[in-house]
Amino acid sequence: MITKSPYIYLVEDDADDRFMMQQAFADVNFADRVRMFSSSEFFLNYIISVTNTIELPTLFVLDFNMPVINGGELLIKLKQHEVLKSIPVVLYSTGMRPILKETLIASGAVDCFEKALDYIELCKQAKTFRLMAEGSEVVY
C-alpha cells in the first residue's frame, strides 16, 4: 500500500523514553503522525497482520536495546518482508558504537543514532526523524 502522507512507527520499550519522544514530536509539530509501540513483539505481530489493510508508515524508528527481539533483529525481519522492505528504518540506542552502526547499515538501516542526552537534542532528533519520514534530504 502507498502512504500519501508521512507517518512514523516508533518501537521503544522504555515508557519514559516513549513519553519524552512524544513530547519532542509535539514540539516539532509531528506528534499526530507518530504511532508508538511498547515492544518489538507487539509491533511485529501488528505490522505483519495489517500490511494489506492499512496505510504503511514512511519510516520505522527502532530502539536497538529491547528484550526478546532487539532492534537489529527486528530490522532484519522488516527487510525480509516483501511489503515492508522498502520502508526506511533507523535505529537509535544509548550505546551506538561505530561497529554496531556499520553492521546495522549493512543489514538495511538507512541510519543509526545515539539517543539524545538532553531535551534540546531530543527535539533535534525528532525533527530529523520527521524530515526523514517526509522524504526530505537530511543534513547533519
Side-chain angles (χ1 to χ4, degrees), residues 62-65 91-97 100 104 112-116 125:
L62 312 175
D63 178 21
F64 180 77
N65 291 314
L91 286 100
Y92 71 121
S93 176
T94 50
M96 187 57 69
R97 298 179 320 272
L100 177 58
L104 294 169
C112 299
F113 298 85
E114 186 94 19
K115 281 189 178 180
Q125 262 183 358

Short mmCIF file of all heavy atoms in Angstrom, two decimals, residues 62-65 91-97 100 104 112-116 125:
data_model
loop_
_atom_site.label_atom_id
_atom_site.label_comp_id
_atom_site.label_asym_id
_atom_site.label_seq_id
_atom_site.Cartn_x
_atom_site.Cartn_y
_atom_site.Cartn_z
N LEU A 62 13.47 2.42 15.39
CA LEU A 62 13.56 1.30 16.32
C LEU A 62 14.63 1.54 17.38
O LEU A 62 15.76 1.92 17.06
CB LEU A 62 13.94 0.01 15.57
CG LEU A 62 13.16 -0.34 14.30
CD1 LEU A 62 13.77 -1.58 13.64
CD2 LEU A 62 11.69 -0.53 14.61
N ASP A 63 14.27 1.31 18.63
CA ASP A 63 15.26 1.27 19.70
C ASP A 63 16.06 -0.01 19.49
O ASP A 63 15.51 -1.06 19.16
CB ASP A 63 14.54 1.24 21.06
CG ASP A 63 15.49 1.14 22.24
OD1 ASP A 63 16.68 1.48 22.09
OD2 ASP A 63 15.03 0.74 23.31
N PHE A 64 17.38 0.07 19.65
CA PHE A 64 18.17 -1.14 19.46
C PHE A 64 18.07 -2.08 20.66
O PHE A 64 17.90 -3.28 20.50
CB PHE A 64 19.65 -0.80 19.21
CG PHE A 64 20.48 -2.04 19.02
CD1 PHE A 64 20.43 -2.73 17.83
CD2 PHE A 64 21.26 -2.52 20.06
CE1 PHE A 64 21.17 -3.91 17.67
CE2 PHE A 64 21.99 -3.68 19.91
CZ PHE A 64 21.95 -4.38 18.70
N ASN A 65 18.17 -1.53 21.88
CA ASN A 65 18.21 -2.37 23.08
C ASN A 65 16.80 -2.66 23.59
O ASN A 65 16.26 -1.90 24.39
CB ASN A 65 19.03 -1.69 24.18
CG ASN A 65 20.49 -1.63 23.83
OD1 ASN A 65 21.06 -2.61 23.38
ND2 ASN A 65 21.09 -0.48 24.00
N LEU A 91 17.70 3.22 13.46
CA LEU A 91 17.80 2.68 14.81
C LEU A 91 18.49 3.70 15.70
O LEU A 91 19.27 4.52 15.22
CB LEU A 91 18.60 1.38 14.82
CG LEU A 91 17.81 0.21 14.24
CD1 LEU A 91 18.20 -0.05 12.83
CD2 LEU A 91 17.97 -1.01 15.09
N TYR A 92 18.16 3.64 16.99
CA TYR A 92 18.83 4.50 17.95
C TYR A 92 19.06 3.73 19.23
O TYR A 92 18.37 2.76 19.51
CB TYR A 92 18.07 5.82 18.15
CG TYR A 92 16.76 5.74 18.89
CD1 TYR A 92 16.57 6.46 20.06
CD2 TYR A 92 15.70 4.98 18.43
CE1 TYR A 92 15.37 6.43 20.75
CE2 TYR A 92 14.49 4.94 19.10
CZ TYR A 92 14.33 5.66 20.26
OH TYR A 92 13.15 5.61 20.94
N SER A 93 20.09 4.15 19.96
CA SER A 93 20.48 3.42 21.16
C SER A 93 21.34 4.32 22.03
O SER A 93 21.97 5.25 21.53
CB SER A 93 21.28 2.18 20.77
OG SER A 93 21.74 1.50 21.92
N THR A 94 21.37 4.00 23.32
CA THR A 94 22.23 4.76 24.22
C THR A 94 23.70 4.45 23.96
O THR A 94 24.56 5.25 24.30
CB THR A 94 21.91 4.45 25.70
OG1 THR A 94 21.87 3.04 25.87
CG2 THR A 94 20.61 5.07 26.12
N GLY A 95 24.00 3.34 23.35
CA GLY A 95 25.39 2.97 23.08
C GLY A 95 25.58 2.57 21.63
O GLY A 95 25.90 1.42 21.35
N MET A 96 25.42 3.49 20.70
CA MET A 96 25.55 3.18 19.28
C MET A 96 27.02 3.29 18.88
O MET A 96 27.50 4.33 18.45
CB MET A 96 24.68 4.14 18.45
CG MET A 96 24.60 3.80 16.98
SD MET A 96 23.99 2.15 16.58
CE MET A 96 22.28 2.26 17.04
N ARG A 97 27.74 2.18 19.07
CA ARG A 97 29.16 2.14 18.72
C ARG A 97 29.31 2.12 17.20
O ARG A 97 28.43 1.65 16.48
CB ARG A 97 29.81 0.91 19.33
CG ARG A 97 29.77 0.89 20.85
CD ARG A 97 30.41 -0.37 21.44
NE ARG A 97 30.13 -1.60 20.73
CZ ARG A 97 29.06 -2.40 20.94
NH1 ARG A 97 28.15 -2.07 21.84
NH2 ARG A 97 28.90 -3.51 20.26
N LEU A 100 28.69 -1.25 15.55
CA LEU A 100 27.27 -1.60 15.56
C LEU A 100 26.55 -0.84 14.45
O LEU A 100 25.75 -1.41 13.70
CB LEU A 100 26.63 -1.30 16.92
CG LEU A 100 25.13 -1.57 17.04
CD1 LEU A 100 24.79 -3.03 16.72
CD2 LEU A 100 24.64 -1.18 18.43
N LEU A 104 24.48 -2.50 11.33
CA LEU A 104 23.07 -2.23 11.11
C LEU A 104 22.81 -1.62 9.73
O LEU A 104 21.85 -1.98 9.05
CB LEU A 104 22.52 -1.33 12.21
CG LEU A 104 22.50 -1.96 13.61
CD1 LEU A 104 22.18 -0.91 14.67
CD2 LEU A 104 21.52 -3.13 13.67
N CYS A 112 21.75 5.33 11.85
CA CYS A 112 21.70 4.95 13.27
C CYS A 112 22.10 6.16 14.09
O CYS A 112 22.95 6.95 13.68
CB CYS A 112 22.67 3.80 13.55
SG CYS A 112 22.32 2.30 12.62
N PHE A 113 21.48 6.29 15.25
CA PHE A 113 21.69 7.45 16.10
C PHE A 113 21.94 7.03 17.53
O PHE A 113 21.39 6.05 18.00
CB PHE A 113 20.43 8.35 16.09
CG PHE A 113 20.09 8.90 14.74
CD1 PHE A 113 19.33 8.16 13.85
CD2 PHE A 113 20.55 10.16 14.36
CE1 PHE A 113 19.02 8.67 12.60
CE2 PHE A 113 20.23 10.67 13.12
CZ PHE A 113 19.47 9.93 12.23
N GLU A 114 22.75 7.84 18.20
CA GLU A 114 22.92 7.74 19.64
C GLU A 114 21.71 8.44 20.27
O GLU A 114 21.30 9.51 19.79
CB GLU A 114 24.22 8.45 20.02
CG GLU A 114 24.62 8.32 21.44
CD GLU A 114 25.59 7.18 21.71
OE1 GLU A 114 26.26 6.69 20.78
OE2 GLU A 114 25.66 6.81 22.88
N LYS A 115 21.12 7.87 21.30
CA LYS A 115 19.99 8.53 21.96
C LYS A 115 20.43 9.88 22.50
O LYS A 115 21.52 10.01 23.05
CB LYS A 115 19.42 7.68 23.10
CG LYS A 115 18.52 6.57 22.63
CD LYS A 115 17.83 5.90 23.80
CE LYS A 115 16.89 4.80 23.31
NZ LYS A 115 16.20 4.13 24.42
N ALA A 116 19.56 10.86 22.34
CA ALA A 116 19.85 12.21 22.81
C ALA A 116 20.01 12.23 24.33
O ALA A 116 19.31 11.52 25.04
CB ALA A 116 18.72 13.14 22.38
N GLN A 125 16.56 15.42 17.19
CA GLN A 125 16.38 14.07 16.64
C GLN A 125 14.98 13.88 16.11
O GLN A 125 14.79 13.33 15.03
CB GLN A 125 16.66 13.01 17.71
CG GLN A 125 18.03 12.45 17.64
CD GLN A 125 18.28 11.34 18.64
OE1 GLN A 125 17.44 10.98 19.46
NE2 GLN A 125 19.47 10.81 18.57
#
